Amino acid sequence: MSTTLTPVRAPSPAHPAPSRRTRVLALPEARWALASTAAFLLALALDLGGLPWWTYGPLYTFAYAVGGWEPALEGLRALCERTLDVDLLMIVAALGAAAIGQVLDGALLIVIFATSGALEALATARTADSVRGLLDLAPTTATRVTGNAEETVPTGEVAVGDVLLIRPGERIGADGRVLDGVSEADQATITGEPLPVAKGPGDEVFAGTLNGTGALRVRVERDPADSVIARIVTLVEDASRTKAPTQLFIEKIEQRYAVGIVAATLAVFGVPLLFGADLTDALLRAMTFMIVASPCAVVLATMPPLLSAIANAGRHGVLVKSAVAMERLGEVDAVALDKTGTLTEGAPEVSAVRPLPGSGLTPDALLALAAAAELPSEHPLGRAVVRAAKERGLRIADARDFVAVPGSAVTAVVEGRVIGVGRPGDPSDLGLSDAGSGLGLPDTGSDPGLSDAGPGRSESGATVVLVTGDGVPLGTLALTDRLRPHAPAATAALTALTGTAPVLLTGDNPRAAAQVAEATGLVDVRADLLPEGKVDAVRELQDAGRKVLFVGDGVNDAPALAAAHSGIAMGRAGSDLALETADAVVVRDELATVPAVVRLSRAARRLVLQNLVIAGAFITGLVLWDLLGHLPLPLGVAGHEGSTVLVGLNGLRLLRESAWRPGQVPFQGTRG
């Protein structure tokens, strides 16, 4: 028996969402099971009423055909491919029972088997429904503003760059950024935040969230197909088509086990005959053995818990890309964290600008040159430089021949000069001339945020970058970043989960890294790391036998995300490369969800183990009963199919809201 999610699609505006009963009847498995059950019950009533065979015999035949044709067909197709499907064993057992006159028992097997399949399909559909609810939140139309005109258009036709008018009480039609207006947005369905969030110019808004009392004009930044809601649905669909290593292992041994069942069934049938047993009794015992020994519950033990965990995480803004990734998250026993954009908000601010004596530049001129070079950059520090220049109203010149060395520097030709912006102490990466090689920071006097602490360092923990022109140092910029409010609690939760405090890996200077580490209770701090340095640190931990979870956001984090046992990317400000490389994406950039999804993965792994124990106990008990005593066929059918349904429903427990526990470790304050 297999478990897959059917693709989720948004309901058509002309066709309202169907009721729960309608959705159940829309499942083919449910319709076949209902028809088979109705025919069986009617035949049973006529049989018990003492009516002749011709009145109820066709109804039994109908129950066999309707309830068993689909698994029989799938089993025959598998047999043509030289694989033995355990579902086919059920059909063979039912036909065998009918062949020895146990028509009622065989029909009961078919009916319970079909009902079990329908329950599995329904349970799987619930996982899809939990995600479908997000799509249902997205409005079908949006108000697009063109000049002074307004038009109502389907949200599917909204394009990046369009300006939407969001009136009070309306749902937002696309992911974008507020141009003007002040309001609040209820975005609990996307980010999990319990209270409405204030929105003003420059703030990000999400499709499907509810606008409050003010009117907003929003510039669309993502195509509707790439919105947060659409990404959640797409990733859950993709995840449903993957199989975890445990599931792959079970399917690998399933074939050998099925062949073993057939051989054992022949032995259970043939050996008693050699000792003079009755043919009918021997065949009935063999059919019962084939049913109770089949590993249907074992096959179903793995995927429902993992798929339920994926759906639950998706509802809370964590996109886990596959069942493999969900299973691996629960295995981690060490965590490595990036600093900028992960522990900090990734929105640093320029705190000081100092031109060097003899450069002939004013602070504004130096900042404008740096902003021109950084304009194409995706790095948070680069964006901060550009933002500071715009806030001062400076003119940012056009740049060409942009080159970025992840973790080190950027260079670009601005107004005829090669402008470099990057870490001091890496002159070759900045394109410095020999005269600039080995340069430290100049004496900064009393400028705030700068000191003579050395290359890339400051007493206040600010990040210092050097600006060069044609290889000659022009000046320095100091940038500071804010710690995420829940970073200390998140690192405490990760410490409690893994037994060791996370490791801080950053390309920033040691002093800035030490400040963040002190505020979050981290001890192992590795600073001034290039991308390959982060990879080396992750591999060092893994060589020591640890299974490392790396959490990051930038281009320079992508190699470490790929090298780690499991990787999580901060999605709101994360680079496309990091998002593609990671196993999971935190849409709302909330660190509290990282320990929550690890905890959820571990819960899924525990349920998988529980399911395997339940399935094994049922199979062992029923087989021993059949071999050592006399197990009635109907009871064997009920026990086997009941265990299959039980493990499926057990896995669905992770769909409950209570399964998501983001903040079990309270805020511990600052620890040294």
Side-chain angles (χ1 to χ4, degrees):
M1 296 185 178
S2 60
T3 303
T4 56
L5 287 178
T6 53
V8 178
R9 297 289 181 264
S12 168
H15 302 85
S19 66
R20 181 180 295 272
R21 183 171 63 181
T22 304
R23 291 200 301 270
V24 171
L25 294 178
L27 296 172
E29 297 88 347
R31 293 198 301 270
W32 298 128
L34 184 62
S36 180
T37 302
F40 171 77
L41 293 176
L42 182 56
L44 181 62
L46 296 175
D47 188 4
L48 296 178
L51 296 179
W53 165 258
W54 62 266
T55 60
Y56 58 81
L59 290 173
Y60 277 133
T61 304
F62 180 80
Y64 273 86
V66 172
W69 76 269
E70 190 171 22
L73 182 60
E74 292 299 322
L76 290 173
R77 287 174 178 169
L79 201 59
C80 292
E81 298 174 0
R82 298 184 179 181
T83 59
L84 188 59
D85 194 322
V86 293
D87 291 2
L88 184 61
L89 300 182
M90 298 294 100
I91 303 302
V92 170
L95 294 176
I100 60 174
Q102 304 289 329
V103 178
L104 188 149
D105 292 343
L108 178 62
L109 170 58
I110 290 292
V111 167
I112 297 181
F113 187 67
T115 303
S116 172
L119 289 175
E120 291 172 30
L122 178 60
T124 303
R126 284 191 59 194
T127 304
D129 284 345
S130 68
V131 182
R132 191 192 312 272
L134 288 175
L135 272 181
D136 293 341
L137 292 174
T140 56
T141 61
T143 302
R144 182 165 59 192
V145 179
T146 306
N148 294 323
E150 299 177 5
E151 59 176 335
T152 301
V153 297
T155 51
E157 296 181 6
V158 172
V160 175
D162 286 350
V163 176
L164 304 182
L165 174 62
I166 315 297
R167 295 184 173 87
E170 289 185 347
R171 290 200 177 273
I172 298 169
D175 290 1
R177 199 166 296 276
V178 177
L179 290 179
D180 59 64
V182 176
S183 186
E184 64 283 340
D186 181 355
Q187 53 190 39
T189 53
I190 301 297
T191 68
E193 294 163 287
L195 299 176
V197 179
K199 298 294 181 181
D203 291 333
E204 187 176 21
V205 294
F206 301 106
T209 56
L210 184 64
N211 185 29
T213 56
L216 299 174
R217 288 207 316 153
V218 174
R219 183 181 299 280
V220 177
E221 292 190 340
R222 294 192 190 97
D223 186 273
D226 296 326
S227 68
V228 171
I229 289 178
R231 287 163 62 193
I232 292 174
V233 174
T234 300
L235 284 175
V236 172
E237 287 180 0
D238 291 343
S240 72
R241 290 190 283 269
T242 65
K243 296 179 180 179
T246 303
Q247 181 73 10
L248 293 174
F249 174 75
I250 290 173
E251 292 181 358
K252 182 178 180 180
I253 66 173
E254 178 188 345
Q255 292 301 308
R256 299 175 183 176
Y257 184 82
V259 173
I261 288 176
V262 173
T265 300
L266 294 175
V268 171
F269 172 64
V271 172
L273 289 179
L274 295 177
F275 290 92
D278 179 73
L279 175 63
T280 300
D281 290 343
L283 186 57
L284 185 59
R285 183 185 293 270
M287 292 300 99
T288 304
F289 174 84
M290 179 182 288
I291 293 168
V292 299
S294 295
C296 295
V298 175
V299 173
L300 195 65
T302 303
M303 293 310 291
L306 294 174
L307 293 178
S308 298
I310 290 170
N312 199 337
R315 288 203 308 263
H316 292 88
V318 181
L319 312 184
V320 182
K321 295 183 177 180
S322 68
V324 176
M326 177 55 77
E327 189 173 44
R328 288 167 68 90
L329 280 169
E331 299 172 351
V332 300
D333 57 10
V335 180
L337 300 170
D338 174 50
K339 183 180 77 69
T340 304
T342 302
L343 284 174
T344 64
E345 293 183 350
E349 299 175 342
V350 175
S351 57
V353 181
R354 180 180 176 84
L356 292 180
S359 67
L361 297 175
T362 64
D364 283 353
L366 177 65
L367 181 60
L369 282 175
E374 291 278 15
L375 190 59
S377 174
E378 58 79 36
H379 196 277
L381 296 180
R383 290 197 293 265
V385 172
V386 174
R387 185 169 58 251
K390 289 181 177 179
E391 289 173 353
R392 296 193 186 190
L394 304 179
R395 173 184 169 273
I396 301 178
D398 294 332
R400 58 183 177 82
D401 299 336
F402 174 81
V403 176
V405 179
S408 293
V410 300
T411 61
V413 178
V414 181
E415 296 179 340
R417 288 196 292 178
V418 178
I419 302 299
V421 184
R423 301 189 308 167
D426 291 296
S428 61
D429 292 335
L430 292 170
L432 290 177
S433 64
D434 292 339
S437 297
L439 241 125
L441 281 182
D443 181 10
T444 56
S446 59
D447 278 6
L450 296 176
S451 75
D452 57 356
R457 297 162 173 78
S458 74
E459 295 295 344
S460 65
T463 297
V464 179
V465 296
L466 183 65
V467 183
T468 65
D470 292 331
V472 178
L474 299 177
T476 55
L477 309 177
L479 300 99
T480 55
D481 197 0
R482 294 186 298 271
L483 190 70
R484 292 188 185 277
H486 302 296
T491 55
L494 289 170
T495 301
L497 280 171
T498 62
T500 57
V503 179
L504 179 59
L505 306 179
T506 179
D508 208 345
N509 67 75
R511 195 174 299 274
Q515 276 198 332
V516 171
E518 182 181 2
T520 53
L522 304 183
V523 177
D524 191 347
V525 182
R526 309 183 191 187
D528 277 335
L529 295 180
L530 296 175
E532 56 267 28
K534 293 184 179 182
V535 172
D536 291 341
V538 168
R539 288 177 176 165
E540 178 186 331
L541 292 171
Q542 296 188 148
D543 289 343
R546 312 302 296 272
K547 294 183 177 179
V548 179
L549 167 65
F550 182 80
V551 186
D553 72 315
V555 168
N556 58 336
D557 295 325
L561 286 167
H565 179 76
S566 189
I568 295 180
M570 308 301 287
R572 186 176 296 177
S575 71
D576 290 342
L577 183 58
L579 301 185
E580 288 295 326
T581 307
D583 296 310
V585 178
V586 178
V587 174
R588 59 173 172 165
D589 274 10
E590 177 51 67
L591 264 181
T593 59
V594 174
V597 75
V598 172
R599 194 178 291 115
L600 187 65
S601 174
R602 292 187 176 183
R605 288 167 56 84
R606 287 195 298 270
L607 286 188
V608 169
L609 182 60
Q610 288 179 16
N611 283 347
L612 292 174
V613 171
I614 291 171
F618 267 86
I619 291 174
T620 302
L622 293 172
V623 166
L624 291 177
W625 188 352
D626 184 55
L627 294 178
L628 303 178
H630 176 68
L631 175 63
L633 179 60
L635 190 57
V637 170
H640 174 269
E641 297 302 326
S643 66
T644 303
V645 174
L646 180 61
V647 298
L649 295 178
N650 190 42
L652 293 178
R653 289 164 51 196
L654 292 184
L655 283 173
R656 298 179 303 177
E657 187 66 25
S658 59
W660 181 262
R661 297 172 292 171
Q664 289 196 326
V665 176
F667 179 78
Q668 303 293 329
T670 300
R671 294 181 299 172

